[in-house]
Amino acid sequence: MTQSAAESAEAVLAALGSGSGGLSAAEARERLAVVGPNAVRSHHVRVLAVLGRQLRSALLILLSVTAAVSFFFGERTGAVIIAGILLLSVALGFVNEYRAERAAQALHSNVRHTALVLREGRETAVEVTALVPGDVVRLALGNVVPADLRLLACTAFACDESVLTGESVPAAKEFGPVPAGAALAELSSCALMGTVVQSGSATGVVVATGGRAEFGRIALGLGKRQPETAFQAGLRRFSMLLLIVATVLTTAIFAVNLLLHRPPLDALLFSLAIAVGITPQLLPAVVSTSLATGSRQLARRKVLVKRLVCIEDLGDMDILVTDKTGTLTEGSITFRAALDAAGHPCDDVLLLGLLATEGELSGNHLGGNVLDGALWQAPEAAGAAGRSAGYRQLALLPFDHDRQLTSTLLAGPDGSRQLVVKGAPEEVLDRCRDVPAVAAAVLRERFAAGARVVAVAAKAAGVQATVTASDEHGLRLAGFLVFDDPPKAGAADSLRRLAGLGITVKICTGDNALVAQKVCADLGLPSGPALTGHEIEMMDDEQLTAAAETTSVFARVSPQDKARVVRALRHRGRDIGFLGDGVNDALALHAADVGVSVDTATDVAKDAADVLLLEKDLGVLADGVAEGRRIFANTIKYVLMGTSSNFGNMFSAAGASVVLSFLPMLPSQILLNNLLYDAGQLTIPTDHVDEEQLRAPSHWDLAFIRRFMLVFGPISSLFDFLTFWVMLSVLHAGPDLFRSGWFVESLATQALVIFVIRTRRIPFLRSRPSRPLMAASLAVVAAGIALPMSSLAPALGFQALPLGFFLALVLMTVLYLVLIECAKYVFYARLATRAGKPPVRHRGRPHRIQRRAGRFSHPGPLEPGRL
């Protein structure tokens, strides 16, 4: 790019074998086969990769090797059983993770990011991943630059390059060459991959794609696979913590057993089986299954996520910034009145409003302007439209979000010329002279009533062929066009639901502050003083960060203002969602932690969003947020299970092996126990979640989990040791009977304690588990009871248990669950007294790069020559 930036546009085109009309379709296909896809991420599911993740556990490998050695030294039955259990465990994890990966692949494959490309001189939408060097690309406001481009032409063009340079000020661009050897931030003749068009438009030729682009090199340095979520990273750190504990415990157990002169192979197998029992083998499968299940649940709730990681972002959201139109209001704008400056009905104002149209004066092809559409569809427009027949539109300066005006140069039936300007009343009035004092009062009255108002002004025009912004001065105020957009019927309920989820709603609108405040008042949303776009422009980033925290309404804002507001809120470590559907929302959608748009939005907005709503309804969004939090809550249940009963049982086994003359449980029995337990927990993603767990975002808290382990793990061990006493002192059990009794008791307590741990409420009475979870847990207990009485018992080292044991089992299990419930009450009561503010999370530049890299994702390998 440095070399291309220093050369003329013509030289770069020649070097790339391209021209101003771009490549032909055949040339593009040939180049794609050579250079490979324009991608930095792959969402291709590879069977061997998924299987490899199941097999790469050092503990499983060491246990398998030890079992093989044991087989050759004569312990064949035990070794075969261990091998079979290990295979079943790996298969269980593989099947669940592979299914979840396939769901993720299907999700990615349904998402299409396109760029506007010239092929053989014709504009066509091409998938971003199919771009090749030599393609000529058109860029507009809100677009993500799809590759490294050498600019060929541009108009008022600037890009937000903060994802590459960290610089928050947009970089102005021009197509002239720069000095040789210029730094990355000084390549003003280039638009770099992954940056966002902040203003203007441009045409450029692709110089570098994929990993050869500057953004691609950085993104590939962070890995080719889709990035893990913050929650998955927390799970990985937690697994490492348990692995360290398991390593220390395993080493100590092995050493003690050697000191007790037990066979080294038996001691090693037992120690490794304990380690496998402690480490949460199925955590990745549980997380993947939860996210995949969640994406299907969200789709049924009319929420489509582009990537699975977006589900976590939805659940984390604690501030929603949204436009007013269509979310808080019906979005069906109706024309109500045309008034002169004194507030009296005036047909001439209606005529001027119809004439200053961004489209044909017949009312067709209005360029997507909803106010123009409402004006032409009004019954009153029929009469005025007849009077417009003699007018011709000579020139047009279209609306933009900086001027907030539309200007039209017209020739009347008598040949006279006039310039008609309409737009935001504040902007129009600033450009008028001799404005009647009553006009301001009329305007305030309409704004206070919640109406949308467009001011219309005009002046005589001389002989000119074009209209520029400098012409929009010295105007005469003609009057006002008044429109209604009433509050949406269900918006108040949706706002209450979002408030119940702990989400603060802030309004970012191009409308007047009084209008936005009136809508908020009608819906019961506290608004307070508003902050206008002009006031935002006067603030530096630090001042805006402080003001944005306490402001609920941002009015008359430009696309750049919206993005600045979102970045200011993110600066405090908050998780920001932005809901928008227009071209002017694209910058803010990119800036937010989670961008939300609707299926009927503009292409630019849909492309920028992470989540698409099939209905523009805050209630649908509330469903999505609740689903994201439900997934987190259910996944954390598995973690808490692993740190309480499971950890306690393995600790008990370690302690018992020291004091008993025999191993308290054979290695194969420990592994079988762990397999049955894990299989039962795979239904956790289907469980119900209590309402209070959805009221605020939940973040990964390793300190909380560690405290949970230290409180509930010893309680599990206490009942294990009580079981040991029953087996040895009451039933006078030998090794096989002892192991059978403890196997059943440990499995029963592990499987049933989920009903207590899964909720902070009283289980069953105030919080019921899902049917799949209840059925799976009870099935695991039944399997554990049946095994010592089955024909497999001798091979597994079990012995049938007497009736007295089952009476003791029922009593101990009930006492255990009651004690856990009491401990839970005390634990959470103390936790509530010292709970402070939620942790502040700052997501750095690597996170932004990872998120942006998701749009450059390909279903196959990234190597050149492969599609």
Side-chain angles (χ1 to χ4, degrees), residues 120-151:
E120 298 173 343
R122 294 190 300 272
E123 286 187 357
T124 182
V126 173
E127 283 197 38
V128 165
T129 55
L131 290 181
V132 295
D135 268 327
V136 175
V137 178
R138 294 277 172 84
L139 297 174
L141 176 70
N143 287 154
V144 173
V145 180
D148 278 356
L149 307 179
R150 171 62 168 89
L151 297 178

Side-chain angles (χ1 to χ4, degrees), residues 604-846:
V604 173
K606 287 196 289 186
D607 188 63
D610 304 299
V611 177
L612 289 178
L613 308 181
L614 298 185
E615 290 182 11
K616 193 173 183 182
D617 185 348
L618 292 179
V620 175
L621 181 61
D623 288 339
V625 172
E627 185 64 26
R629 294 180 184 177
R630 189 190 68 79
I631 290 168
F632 182 96
N634 277 338
T635 308
I636 207 71
K637 291 173 187 177
Y638 179 86
V639 175
L640 296 181
M641 285 285 292
T643 56
S644 55
S645 180
N646 192 33
F647 178 79
N649 285 341
M650 295 305 104
F651 188 79
S652 302
S657 68
V658 175
V659 297
L660 294 175
S661 59
F662 53 87
L663 292 177
M665 203 181 288
L666 296 176
S668 59
Q669 293 169 345
I670 293 175
L671 295 174
L672 181 59
N673 184 296
N674 194 50
L675 175 66
L676 290 172
Y677 158 77
D678 276 341
Q681 303 317 301
L682 282 174
T683 55
I684 285 179
T686 69
D687 193 25
H688 307 307
V689 174
D690 297 336
E691 184 181 345
E692 59 268 21
Q693 291 180 275
L694 304 177
R695 288 177 185 163
S698 297
H699 300 296
W700 184 258
D701 187 350
L702 200 58
F704 164 78
I705 294 170
R706 192 162 46 239
R707 286 195 298 271
F708 196 95
M709 178 172 63
L710 294 176
V711 170
F712 293 92
I715 297 176
S716 176
S717 293
L718 175 65
F719 278 83
D720 288 334
F721 287 118
L722 180 60
T723 303
F724 298 164
W725 179 81
V726 170
M727 298 305 298
L728 294 173
S729 301
V730 178
L731 299 178
H732 306 290
D736 286 351
L737 187 60
F738 180 94
R739 292 163 182 155
S740 302
W742 188 41
F743 178 89
V744 172
E745 182 271 340
S746 65
L747 196 58
T749 53
Q750 281 186 103
L752 297 178
V753 77
I754 183 63
F755 298 132
V756 179
I757 289 176
R758 58 170 292 277
T759 177
R760 297 189 183 189
R761 301 177 177 181
I762 300 173
F764 294 104
L765 296 179
R766 297 186 58 206
S767 178
R768 294 186 178 182
S770 68
R771 290 182 179 179
L773 178 61
M774 183 179 292
S777 299
L778 295 177
V780 166
V781 175
I785 292 172
L787 278 173
M789 297 184 289
S790 71
S791 58
L792 296 174
L796 295 172
F798 289 137
Q799 182 178 333
L801 291 159
L803 180 61
F805 167 80
F806 291 104
L807 295 175
L809 175 66
V810 171
L811 180 61
M812 287 189 296
T813 303
V814 170
L815 286 175
Y816 171 66
L817 297 179
V818 169
L819 186 56
I820 288 288
E821 177 63 25
C822 294
K824 183 184 74 175
Y825 177 82
V826 175
F827 178 82
Y828 285 116
R830 289 185 176 178
L831 190 68
T833 59
R834 61 169 179 253
K837 292 183 178 180
V840 173
R841 177 168 61 176
H842 291 286
R843 288 168 160 172
R845 184 161 155 261

Side-chain angles (χ1 to χ4, degrees), residues 324 426 440-453 509 511-522 527-532 553-556:
K324 171 178 65 68
E426 299 90 339
V442 171
L443 199 55
R444 278 195 301 272
E445 180 185 354
R446 294 295 173 174
F447 281 152
R452 296 186 68 170
V453 181
T509 178
D511 213 336
N512 182 270
L514 291 175
V515 178
Q517 289 168 325
K518 175 64 166 62
V519 171
C520 290
D522 290 344
S527 59
L531 201 60
T532 65
V553 173
F554 304 87
R556 293 295 190 211

Side-chain angles (χ1 to χ4, degrees), residues 119-477:
R119 290 274 169 89
E120 298 173 343
R122 294 190 300 272
E123 286 187 357
T124 182
V126 173
E127 283 197 38
V128 165
T129 55
L131 290 181
V132 295
D135 268 327
V136 175
V137 178
R138 294 277 172 84
L139 297 174
L141 176 70
N143 287 154
V144 173
V145 180
D148 278 356
L149 307 179
R150 171 62 168 89
L151 297 178
L152 305 177
C154 58
T155 303
F157 190 61
C159 289
D160 175 3
E161 297 183 342
S162 58
V163 72
L164 292 177
T165 64
E167 178 58 56
S168 60
V169 178
K173 300 292 183 178
E174 54 187 23
F175 58 87
V178 302
L184 179 69
E186 298 171 352
L187 301 182
S188 59
S189 61
C190 299
L192 301 174
M193 178 182 186
T195 62
V196 180
V197 178
Q198 192 83 1
S199 63
S201 59
T203 302
V205 61
V206 175
V207 175
T209 60
R212 291 169 294 278
E214 186 65 31
F215 176 84
R217 282 195 291 271
I218 297 171
L220 286 175
L222 299 174
K224 292 184 181 181
R225 298 293 299 169
Q226 296 297 326
E228 64 182 2
T229 68
F231 181 54
Q232 288 170 326
L235 288 176
R236 177 173 46 77
R237 289 192 296 270
F238 168 67
S239 298
M240 288 302 298
L241 171 67
L242 285 189
L243 184 59
I244 292 170
V245 172
T247 302
V248 172
L249 198 59
T250 299
T251 304
I253 292 169
F254 181 64
V256 169
N257 276 272
L258 287 181
L259 290 175
L260 294 174
H261 305 293
R262 289 178 180 154
L265 277 177
D266 288 351
L268 183 59
L269 282 170
F270 177 75
S271 303
L272 291 173
I274 290 289
V276 171
I278 291 176
T279 52
Q281 300 289 324
L282 289 186
L283 260 184
V286 168
V287 175
S288 300
T289 302
S290 293
L291 290 173
T293 303
S295 70
R296 291 189 292 270
Q297 294 283 353
L298 287 171
R300 282 194 283 269
R301 295 174 183 267
K302 301 182 180 180
V303 180
L304 302 180
V305 293
K306 291 185 178 180
R307 296 177 292 279
L308 288 183
V309 296
C310 300
I311 297 175
E312 182 195 348
D313 289 333
L314 262 181
D316 282 345
M317 187 197 307
D318 54 7
I319 291 180
L320 173 66
V321 183
T322 178
D323 191 13
K324 171 178 65 68
T325 305
T327 50
L328 302 182
T329 65
E330 292 292 349
S332 55
I333 297 173
T334 306
F335 173 72
R336 288 300 178 204
L339 309 174
D340 63 17
H344 303 128
C346 180
D347 290 339
D348 288 343
V349 174
L350 175 58
L351 174 62
L352 290 175
L354 291 170
L355 292 173
T357 293
E358 289 189 40
E360 298 177 4
L361 293 185
S362 62
N364 298 320
H365 310 297
L366 298 177
N369 188 309
V370 293
L371 293 175
D372 280 350
L375 192 62
W376 277 95
Q377 291 166 13
E380 298 89 339
R387 294 172 57 194
S388 70
Y391 288 86
R392 288 184 300 116
Q393 191 178 89
L394 302 177
L396 172 73
L397 184 60
F399 179 90
D400 67 52
H401 294 280
D402 292 323
R403 294 166 36 254
Q404 300 184 48
L405 301 171
T406 297
S407 295
T408 308
L409 181 63
L410 297 169
D414 58 358
S416 63
R417 294 185 172 203
Q418 66 174 329
L419 178 68
V420 179
V421 179
K422 71 178 181 183
E426 299 90 339
E427 299 297 328
V428 173
L429 265 60
D430 280 348
R431 291 164 170 79
C432 291
R433 60 187 180 190
D434 303 327
V435 177
V438 70
V442 171
L443 199 55
R444 278 195 301 272
E445 180 185 354
R446 294 295 173 174
F447 281 152
R452 296 186 68 170
V453 181
V454 173
V456 182
K459 72 174 182 179
V463 179
Q464 60 187 85
T466 60
V467 180
T468 65
S470 61
D471 297 322
E472 298 170 332
H473 294 281
L475 305 171
R476 175 187 56 81
L477 179 64

